[in-house]
Amino acid sequence: MSDLRELYQSVILDHNRAPRNYGPLADATGHAEGRNPLCGDEVTVWVRMEGERVADVHFVGTGCAISKASASLMTTAVKGKTAAEVTTLADQFRAVVTGQVPAPPPSDGAMGRLAALSGVSRFPIRVKCATLAWHALHAAIAGAPDAGVPDARVSP
Amino acid sequence: MTTVMTRRADFPLLVRQPGLHYLDSAATAQKPAVVLDAEREFYETSYANPHRGAYALSARATECYHDARTGVARFFGLRDAACLIFTRGTTESLNLVATAWGMHNVRPGDEIVVTRLEHHANFVPWQQLALARGAAFRIVELTPDGRVDIDLLRHAVTPRTKVVAVAHVSNALGTITPLGEVAAIARSVGALVVVDGAQSAPHMAVDIEALDVDFYAFSGHKMGAPTGIGGLIGRREILEAMPPYQMGGDMIEVVGDERTSWNVLPHKFEAGTPNVGGAVALAAAVRYLTSIGMTEVRRHEQTLTAMAIERLGALPGVRLYGPDATRRSGVVSFTVDGIHAHDLATILDQEGVCVRAGHHCAQPLLRRLGVSATARASFFVYNDAADVDALVSGVRSAQTLFHGPRVVSPGTPARPATASR
Ligand SMILES: Cc1ncc(COP(=O)(O)O)c(C=O)c1O
């Protein structure tokens, strides 16, 4: 049960129950959709860029607790960051959820808060759930409306 | 107390993993030792390319292949074994019919009828055939408890209907379709009946002559055979009138420079070197099932299904989909309020309980049920009451993990075993 408690920490369950920045963003400058056809997870991310910076970000999604909490935590972590900083954060995040690097302590800024998802590293089949929103965010900033998921292809 | 006998000891994987509660047999079944032994024995004693060699070993392989076909045909009560075509499985069988028969017999303005229950394998090929041939594509809706609505089917079928394609048993809900009624309606307008038997072949007695359908498709891997072998049973007149599906070796009679004539049934539809080892193993799988008796298989699964429906249904916040246990096969599809099916499957997995979570390759159905995913437990001969216990206890741990130790959503009554709408 301890791996599960690690995976479904109270932060995750809280963001799943009460996702932050949830709903379309009226004055968005870009949006993108991510889908994981294998499990039916879907997420749409809206961003409002001001110059190089993410001024606001919202999402809507259906899916498991991991994908929803990850999207919600992401929206709280990237506001005010530049596109380049978002890319760095996304890379760090992927490294943590795939277990390539240890999770930073919670006090460690944006990455510290995202580390609540580090329990995913024990559940390789759930990594895609955690990274889905990040793919969509990347596409929304880049202005590509359909993010898909690179490593999930057709439905079984 | 109902006693349920377990045949777990016949299945090496389950013997090696005593803590495993394998509840995903609707996706694929575990393999009994007798099947693995039969396949190995064939490769060790009788293997060569059938039909091609002029030597004794090839003749022996040919005979094994022939005997496998006879054995599998007998399992389905099929008298004319040449009307059983070995394929890779249900998907290939259904595509064979939709392509070889469909492209030559469906014309603009004709109608193709399927049901809301269908697996994508019995939905997409017909939808695409309709698009390719300019035919209408009709989907027959369900009753609130997830059965094909026979009155709606009667209205959907018209003199322009060329084919009615229907699942004998739904993989997502377990619903058993009354094929007799479907066939009578289709017959009245001269339409073909194509049956997706992927979920009936492993779980109930199927007498193909009594069913009176035109095509019946099934997959060996859901019956205890290896992957990559299955079959299509068809009426001789129709198969003979159909053009081949794939062209190549074994399926020809004479190849001229300009024209080619086709081999007789079943070879006309079995281009290339066949999966002989798979066919031999499939024959062993149906012998194994026959040794138990398909009536007993059904009874056993029905007992477990009724048990699971009752116990899951008694948990607050659990919704069950599909009809009552008498009208369904060993499949229990459910959702738990506040817990996504995918999370549920991860949590159950930690307790050794394997269930499927998702749309079960039946997106048109799940859309209609108004859910994006369900969890699905499905039973076979090796399951027993301990598996149901583990499932129920896993669902409760998931609820505790997500909602705390107190029981979820007070005031949510236990739902009856019906779809939510
Ligand atoms: C009802 C039904 N039809 C068709 C299929 C496809 O079978 P296969 O993947 O063996 O071709 C399945 C199995 O997933 C099924 O359950």
Side-chain angles (χ1 to χ4, degrees), chain A residues 21 47-57 74-86 89 110 113 137 141:
Chain A
N21 302 305
V47 284
R48 182 160 56 77
M49 300 300 288
E50 280 174 5
E52 264 300 290
R53 278 185 198 283
V54 177
D56 205 356
V57 54
M74 177 188 80
T75 61
T76 66
V78 300
K79 263 189 227 181
K81 298 223 177 308
T82 64
E85 286 165 346
V86 169
L89 201 57
R113 262 177 292 137
L137 173 64
I141 293 174

Side-chain angles (χ1 to χ4, degrees), chain A residues 1 3-5 7-8 13 16-17 36-41 62-66 123 125-126 129 155-156, chain B residues 119-120 338 340 342-344 346-347 349-351 356-359 361 363 372-373 397-398 400-403:
Chain A
M1 207 56 185
D3 278 355
L4 279 179
R5 292 227 174 266
L7 181 65
Y8 296 109
L13 296 177
N16 176 45
R17 251 191 308 266
N36 185 348
L38 233 60
C39 54
D41 287 352
T62 56
C64 63
I66 303 303
F123 297 85
I125 51 174
R126 306 302 301 276
C129 308
S155 73
Chain B
H119 186 282
H120 296 162
H340 192 272
H342 208 192
D343 295 310
L344 189 62
T346 294
I347 297 165
D349 189 29
Q350 291 296 294
E351 304 194 2
R356 175 96 189 259
H359 53 60
C361 297
Q363 287 178 2
S372 64
S397 339
T400 306
L401 187 67
F402 266 60
H403 305 300

Side-chain angles (χ1 to χ4, degrees), chain A residues 156, chain B residues 25-28 87-95 117-122 167-172 196-200 217-222 227-230 356 360-361 376:
Chain B
S25 298
T28 197
T87 64
R88 283 197 296 127
T90 307
T91 302
E92 189 175 50
S93 298
L94 293 168
N95 276 278
L117 279 179
E118 302 314 310
H119 186 282
H120 296 162
N122 202 29
H168 195 180
V169 171
S170 151
N171 66 305
D196 174 350
Q199 298 294 341
S200 60
F218 63 96
S219 296
H221 70 90
K222 295 183 199 278
T227 50
I229 186 75
R356 175 96 189 259
H360 318 300
C361 297
R376 179 190 72 184

Side-chain angles (χ1 to χ4, degrees), chain A residues 12 69-70 72-78 89-90 92-93 96-97 104 106 108-118 134:
Chain A
I12 305 293
S70 178
S72 173
L73 279 161
M74 177 188 80
T75 61
T76 66
V78 300
L89 201 57
Q92 286 173 343
F93 177 73
V96 167
V97 295
D108 193 355
M111 198 52 228
R113 262 177 292 137
L114 294 175
L117 281 153
S118 62
W134 287 89

Side-chain angles (χ1 to χ4, degrees), chain B residues 12 22 75 222 233 262 282 287 292 385:
Chain B
Y22 186 76
F75 176 76
K222 295 183 199 278
I233 295 174
W262 314 129
L282 175 58
R287 276 199 303 278
I292 298 169

Side-chain angles (χ1 to χ4, degrees), chain B residues 199-405:
Chain B
Q199 298 294 341
S200 60
H203 303 293
M204 60 181 65
V206 171
D207 180 349
I208 211 76
E209 310 279 348
L211 281 185
D212 190 32
V213 299
D214 299 290
F215 287 103
Y216 180 92
F218 63 96
S219 296
H221 70 90
K222 295 183 199 278
M223 307 171 73
T227 50
I229 186 75
L232 174 70
I233 295 174
R235 275 192 208 285
R236 178 173 276 278
E237 319 83 80
I238 303 174
L239 288 171
E240 283 182 339
M242 272 160 65
Y245 177 50
Q246 292 177 335
M247 322 283 167
D250 287 336
M251 52 74 66
I252 50 87
E253 182 190 47
V254 179
V255 179
D257 283 354
E258 258 103 53
R259 290 180 191 289
T260 293
S261 58
W262 314 129
N263 201 340
V264 295
L265 294 177
H267 312 295
K268 173 174 153 188
F269 292 103
E270 294 183 358
T273 300
N275 181 359
V276 195
V280 166
L282 175 58
V286 302
R287 276 199 303 278
Y288 176 74
L289 289 174
T290 305
S291 74
I292 298 169
M294 291 311 288
T295 312
E296 170 58 20
V297 170
R298 166 94 181 107
R299 191 200 63 76
H300 175 78
E301 293 176 9
Q302 214 171 352
T303 305
L304 294 175
T305 305
M307 203 182 276
I309 288 176
E310 189 190 323
R311 296 195 42 205
L312 287 174
L315 296 178
V318 173
R319 292 162 202 261
L320 294 152
Y321 302 86
D324 61 67
T326 62
R327 291 199 271 202
R328 75 159 95 186
S329 176
V331 173
V332 181
S333 225
F334 63 100
T335 55
V336 181
D337 289 352
I339 310 179
H340 192 272
H342 208 192
D343 295 310
L344 189 62
T346 294
I347 297 165
L348 288 170
D349 189 29
Q350 291 296 294
E351 304 194 2
V353 179
C354 311
V355 298
R356 175 96 189 259
H359 53 60
H360 318 300
C361 297
Q363 287 178 2
L365 171 61
L366 264 74
R367 253 198 317 280
R368 184 49 54 108
L369 294 176
V371 289
S372 64
T374 71
R376 179 190 72 184
S378 51
F379 301 107
F380 201 30
V381 295
Y382 36 68
N383 293 115
D384 59 20
D387 296 323
V388 179
D389 289 344
L391 172 67
V392 173
S393 117
V395 170
R396 297 177 66 153
S397 339
Q399 291 183 316
T400 306
L401 187 67
F402 266 60
H403 305 300

